[in-house]
Amino acid sequence: MSNHVQLPRVMEIGEGASAQVATILARLGCNSPLIITDKVMVDLGYAARIGAVLEEAGISYAVFSDTVPEPTESSIIAGVEAFRAGNFDSIIALGGGSPIDSAKAIGILGKFGGNMRDYKFPRDVSESGVPIVAIPTTAGTGSEVTRFTIITDDKVDEKMLCVGLGFMPQAAIIDFTLTLSVPPRVTADTGIDALTHAIEAYVSRKANPFSDCQALSAMRLIAPNLRKVYHTPDDKAAREAMMLGSTLAGMAFSAASVALVHGMSRPIGAFFHVPHGLSNAMLLPHVTAFSIPEATVRYAECARAMGVVSQDTNDDVACQKLVLELQAINQELNVPSMSEFGIDKARYFELCDTMASQAIASGSPGNNPRVPDQETLVSLYHQVWS
Ligand SMILES: [Fe+2]
């Protein structure tokens, strides 16, 4: 049996890698990029930093900075209009997961038209969109190396998963120095997201020898450094490990899949506007405990890779310690409960059935080692609240 793996054509990885953006564009045969980013990247001077590199190479560009967190279809339409307003041959996606996911959607809609819903899973979007150079500034969603984007249909509050080679950036520039000024809350949320990608890829029913290698390496890098980057933002060695771990975790889940945590997390994000990594964090310990009986050996291996237990610890103890560690990480990184975050309890319970349906429709719960039916999923949503 073989496994199908899709990756960017070019990756530039390490301190100062973003200074290579002009060279990489030239290698892709592009010379007129639109930088797609957000206001924070403009305010922090990161967009100007990339712009200065382009100017020095004689490359003209424009900036679209109106992407929004947890991108919506209406924000994508504005980006498509900006792209079509100029004579651009490529996109530089600069920022956290949201600008990169936005750029992927704009790259497809900008070239082929239509509505985002036309490209929703289970359609396989294999068309080649506008070439994208992705430069992540968080560690992270791994979006720079995945063939996925998530766009919210703001009319019905549904996070639509879109999948295919068309959403894979042509190049990824992995420069951890861009993460040094990320504030602790975002550092924690995006870091737990990356850890979730690695764990879910490793226990996924679609896990394979290639994704296993990336997932285990990612856990070894992320687990010992997650607390460090939260408490000591300027720890360069820890930031570098988190950035590489995030990219490897992205490669892992792009080659395998995510699973139940992400399946349940997207509807919570869509209905209650919880940042993606944070809703994952709220779910991860509980969903892991639910799933362990069907994948004890795999979860035990996660605990060993994360350094939670020694290599000779037996599987049952390793799994127990894994759940305790995930709870401890949430506590130390001040992950709020759903009620502390401000989610309205009555509205949450009212929506559990709809959220369960949306989760199942996304396909992600079907990749989980323990696959819940609609009724079990509703009861899981209930349990997670308490
Ligand atoms: Fe994620």
Side-chain angles (χ1 to χ4, degrees), residues 69-323:
E70 318 296 321
T72 56
E73 181 149 22
S74 47
S75 71
I76 297 306
I77 290 166
V80 169
E81 285 167 2
F83 180 80
R84 287 183 173 165
N87 192 23
F88 304 110
D89 63 3
S90 52
I91 291 171
I92 295 173
L94 174 70
S98 297
I100 296 177
D101 275 5
S102 299
K104 290 175 172 187
I106 293 164
I108 287 291
L109 289 188
K111 186 164 173 184
F112 300 106
N115 301 307
M116 210 58 227
R117 188 163 285 277
D118 303 334
Y119 300 94
K120 182 186 154 180
F121 178 85
R123 177 169 169 190
D124 179 18
V125 182
S126 55
E127 298 94 326
S128 293
V130 181
I132 294 174
V133 177
I135 310 179
T137 59
T138 60
T141 64
S143 186
E144 70 280 4
V145 289
T146 74
R147 57 197 169 90
F148 308 116
T149 187
I150 310 272
I151 304 297
T152 301
D153 181 339
D154 27 358
K155 292 190 196 82
V156 292
D157 282 339
E158 179 190 354
K159 279 198 173 188
M160 298 181 290
L161 172 65
C162 304
V163 181
L165 187 57
F167 298 115
M168 175 64 73
Q170 294 257 342
I173 300 181
I174 321 295
D175 183 349
F176 73 87
T177 62
L178 300 176
T179 68
L180 288 168
S181 54
V182 176
R185 181 73 269 137
V186 179
T187 296
D189 296 349
T190 52
I192 296 175
D193 186 30
L195 179 62
T196 308
H197 295 153
I199 293 174
E200 294 214 282
Y202 192 69
V203 302
S204 162
R205 286 170 180 256
K206 292 182 179 165
N208 56 71
F210 178 85
S211 62
D212 285 352
C213 293
Q214 322 302 327
L216 290 170
S217 298
M219 285 183 248
R220 290 186 190 108
L221 287 162
I222 295 167
N225 290 295
L226 187 50
R227 290 173 169 91
K228 284 186 193 169
V229 287
Y230 181 70
H231 295 302
T232 319
D234 58 356
D235 183 333
K236 287 176 77 170
R239 289 285 195 184
E240 183 167 22
M242 287 296 297
M243 195 66 166
L244 183 56
S246 164
T247 296
L248 291 173
M251 288 165 61
F253 88 85
S254 196
S257 70
V258 284
L260 185 54
V261 175
H262 275 73
M264 292 180 70
S265 175
R266 292 185 205 108
I268 294 174
F271 284 112
F272 300 104
H273 307 289
V274 185
H276 171 69
L278 194 53
S279 52
N280 281 349
M282 291 166 174
L283 293 163
L284 182 59
H286 199 92
V287 171
T288 300
F290 167 83
S291 306
I292 278 172
E294 294 296 327
T296 308
V297 173
R298 287 246 148 193
Y299 279 108
E301 208 49 53
C302 291
R304 293 184 193 106
M306 288 169 60
V308 176
V309 293
S310 62
Q311 293 300 315
D312 56 0
T313 307
N314 76 50
D315 289 350
D316 288 335
V317 172
C319 287
Q320 287 168 19
K321 292 277 175 67
L322 175 64
V323 174

